Amino acid sequence: MNMEFLGATLDLIGKVLIAYTAIKVHYRFWKEHRIDQAVFQSMKAEQTIGVIGIIFLLLGFVLEHVFPMF
């Protein structure tokens, strides 16, 4: 497996995780029509998924553009 493929894969996973987080938060808020403790807990968990997605995006960028020779 080369670094470019790994970088592109991490980039894709990161984008999907961030999109999933945004969709999930909006759906939960639309469904509940209020923000209570359950919604806050759900948002906190989805925030963690979003941060993991951002980390994957950054790792993907580094592997594709900083270490393209491997």
Side-chain angles (χ1 to χ4, degrees), residues 13-31 39 42-54:
I13 292 170
K15 288 174 182 174
V16 169
L17 288 175
I18 292 170
Y20 167 80
T21 300
I23 291 167
K24 188 79 171 166
V25 168
H26 286 94
Y27 175 77
R28 178 74 186 239
F29 187 71
W30 168 76
K31 185 178 176 184
V39 174
S42 180
M43 291 170 108
K44 177 92 169 132
E46 290 151 7
Q47 206 172 31
T48 302
I49 293 170
V51 169
I52 292 169
I54 292 169

Side-chain angles (χ1 to χ4, degrees), residues 11-12 16 19 25 29 37 48 50 59 64 69:
D11 182 67
L12 175 65
V16 169
V25 168
F29 187 71
Q37 190 60 33
T48 302
L59 287 173
E64 285 186 59
M69 72 288 288

